[in-house]
């Protein structure tokens, strides 16, 4: 029963981590869709500007055609981003429910406008390892199974061991003797004591059960030991992962700002004739890629933070 209770706790922790993965995958897909839409909006705005400049004779038809190619590529990118967002919404609905317990497919309006990394408290890895080895439900479950195996071992050992029963009886007959052959009573108080020794026959099945019980105990002891090693390594890995993920998110955030400034500057240069459409498209793609990487970095950081908290 104790092992079953701890198994339920393990399942709850696993569900919490799975829900965090589904949520941040949905947030990432939604933010990526916005990046694709922003890219398409820029190309559409530039298309109108280029057509006006073409009519004025300040540019060649080649630039308009090249921008049309960019428009088609970005529309295709938006379609892929929309499909990814729909898929993430369906997966999130397994964890997002209404009051009646029915799945809820979250729309784009529920995506946060801005994502950022929630800082974690200062990590004390060794202290966390000690707490995990004491109170983690997987450890408690393994120890409960070991205790149950030890009880089975004791039971199997008792079945092949001699049995000694101590007996003590007291009796007293009441009434009058009849003086006939029907009198089988004894006068007064009668005390009887004895010991009964039973020796079971050592069949192979009994010896086999005892041997199997010892093997199960040994197996469960090794499982407890190996699980402790696993949890120790898992906790240290979770601490390392959350620190690296948060550092990566901070670095990619700086890249987003720099790439956006470069893209805006390249567009201004193009408007005054100091650049061309190839460089503008390249800068915009770099800025979009920086945003996508930052969103992914934040999602990874939040998932790793949840993994650290549920370890």
């Amino acid at each position: 029963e104790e092992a079953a209770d701890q198994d339920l706790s393990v399942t709850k922790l696993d569900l919490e981590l799975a829900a965090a993965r589904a949520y941040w995958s949905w947030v990432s897909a939604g933010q990526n869709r916005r990046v694709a839409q922003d890219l398409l909006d820029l190309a559409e705005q530039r298309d109108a500007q280029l057509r006006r400049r073409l009519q004025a004779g300040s540019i060649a038809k080649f630039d308009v055609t090249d921008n049309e190619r960019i428009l088609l590529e970005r529309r295709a990118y938006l379609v892929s981003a929309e499909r990814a967002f729909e898929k993430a919404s369906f997966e999130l609905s397994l964890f997002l429910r209404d009051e009646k317990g029915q799945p809820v497919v979250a729309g784009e309006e529920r995506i946060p406008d801005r994502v950022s990394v929630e800082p974690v408290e200062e990590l004390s890895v060794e202290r966390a390892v000690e707490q995990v080895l004491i109170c983690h439900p997987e450890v408690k479950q393994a120890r409960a199974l070991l205790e149950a195996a030890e009880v089975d071992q004791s039971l199997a050992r008792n079945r092949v061991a001699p049995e000694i029963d101590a007996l003590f009886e007291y009796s007293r007959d009441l009434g009058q003797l009849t003086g006939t052959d029907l009198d089988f009573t004894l006068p007064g108080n009668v005390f009887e004591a004895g010991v009964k020794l039973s020796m079971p026959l050592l069949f192979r099945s009994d010896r086999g059960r005892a041997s199997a019980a010892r093997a199960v105990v040994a197996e469960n002891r090794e499982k407890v030991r190996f699980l402790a090693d696993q949890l120790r390594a898992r906790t240290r890995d979770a601490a390392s992962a959350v620190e690296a993920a948060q550092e990566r998110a901070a670095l990619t955030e700086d890249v987003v700002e720099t790439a956006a400034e470069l893209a805006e500057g390249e567009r201004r240069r193009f408007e005054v004739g100091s650049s061309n459409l190839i460089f503008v498209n390249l800068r915009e793609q770099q800025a979009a890629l920086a945003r996508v990487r930052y969103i992914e970095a934040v999602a990874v950081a939040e998932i790793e933070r949840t993994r650290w908290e549920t370890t």
Side-chain angles (χ1 to χ4, degrees), residues 40-52:
L40 180 59
D41 292 343
L42 288 172
E44 290 176 344
Q45 294 170 8
R46 187 162 50 246
D47 183 69
Q49 297 171 357
L50 290 174
R51 293 185 184 278
R52 288 194 297 267

Side-chain angles (χ1 to χ4, degrees), residues 97-104:
R97 307 275 175 157
D98 59 15
E99 296 179 353
K100 297 181 180 180
Q102 298 300 316
V104 175

Side-chain angles (χ1 to χ4, degrees), residues 28-38 78 81-82 85 108:
S28 297
Q31 291 286 346
N32 290 342
R33 184 191 179 283
R34 290 179 181 177
V35 171
Q37 185 64 60
D38 291 344
L78 178 59
E82 288 176 342
F85 176 68
E108 186 182 2

Side-chain angles (χ1 to χ4, degrees), residues 123-125 128 235 238-239 242 303-311:
L123 304 181
S124 178
V125 180
T235 303
V242 71
I303 292 173
E304 293 297 344
R305 182 177 62 83
T306 305
R307 185 164 76 96
W308 163 257
E309 292 175 351
T310 56
T311 298

Side-chain angles (χ1 to χ4, degrees), residues 170-189:
Y170 164 75
S171 63
R172 178 182 177 85
D173 292 340
L174 301 176
Q176 301 294 326
L177 296 176
T178 62
T180 66
D181 295 338
L182 299 177
D183 291 332
F184 298 100
T185 60
L186 296 175
N189 298 318

Side-chain angles (χ1 to χ4, degrees), residues 199-216:
M199 180 67 70
L201 296 176
L202 296 179
F203 295 110
R204 285 182 296 175
S205 59
D206 295 327
R207 294 197 301 269
R209 280 192 293 266
S211 178
R214 289 194 299 271
V216 171

